[in-house]
């Protein structure tokens, strides 16, 4: 998740993906064009890029996974990629640090 933190700092200048904002052209928009996809909880997969969704300066390829949420009438879209760059502000292995912080330490010889 460190990459998400660093990207969130620059997202302010990118296109908004707020509720009610029009969807970018792509697999999610095509999926939602047929309401039956949503209500039957269908699934679809497509390809997109960072610039299409967020107006980012980079055209990093993303996988676009779409799932209809049935009677709720919404769609869940997951954007992911193996091609995202490493977070330059990442200070190390967060999982190892978390494990160390929860490992009990005993004070012997007091």
């Amino acid at each position: 998740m460190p990459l998400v933190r660093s990207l969130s700092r620059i997202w302010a200048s990118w296109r908004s993906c707020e509720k009610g904002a029009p969807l970018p052209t792509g697999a999610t928009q095509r999926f939602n064009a047929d309401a039956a996809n949503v209500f039957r909880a269908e699934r679809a997969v497509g390809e997109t890029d960072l610039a299409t969704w967020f107006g980012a300066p980079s055209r990093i390829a993303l996988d676009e996974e779409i799932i209809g949420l049935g009677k709720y009438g919404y769609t869940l879209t997951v954007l992911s990629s193996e091609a995202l760059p490493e977070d330059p502000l990442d200070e190390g292995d967060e999982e190892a640090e978390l494990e160390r912080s929860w490992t009990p330490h005993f004070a012997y010889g007091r």
Side-chain angles (χ1 to χ4, degrees), residues 25-104:
T25 303
T28 299
Q29 186 184 51
R30 289 188 300 276
F31 183 89
N32 286 346
D34 183 359
N37 288 335
V38 177
F39 292 108
R40 288 192 312 248
E42 298 288 337
R43 295 171 177 250
V45 177
E47 290 185 10
T48 188
D49 59 55
L50 202 57
T52 299
W53 276 86
F54 302 105
S58 177
R59 290 211 166 268
I60 296 173
L62 298 173
D63 297 319
E64 185 174 0
E65 301 172 63
I66 307 105
I67 304 169
L69 298 179
K71 65 181 180 178
Y72 296 104
Y74 293 103
T75 302
L76 172 66
T77 299
V78 177
L79 302 173
S80 61
S81 177
E82 296 293 325
L84 292 173
E86 291 296 319
D87 183 359
L89 302 176
D90 189 9
E91 296 177 5
D93 186 4
E94 288 182 17
E95 191 170 324
E97 180 59 34
L98 182 62
E99 186 176 330
R100 255 191 311 281
S101 72
W102 283 90
T103 301

Side-chain angles (χ1 to χ4, degrees), residues 2-13:
L3 179 61
V4 173
R5 282 189 307 224
S6 61
L7 284 176
S8 67
R9 293 185 199 117
I10 57 175
W11 279 2
S13 64

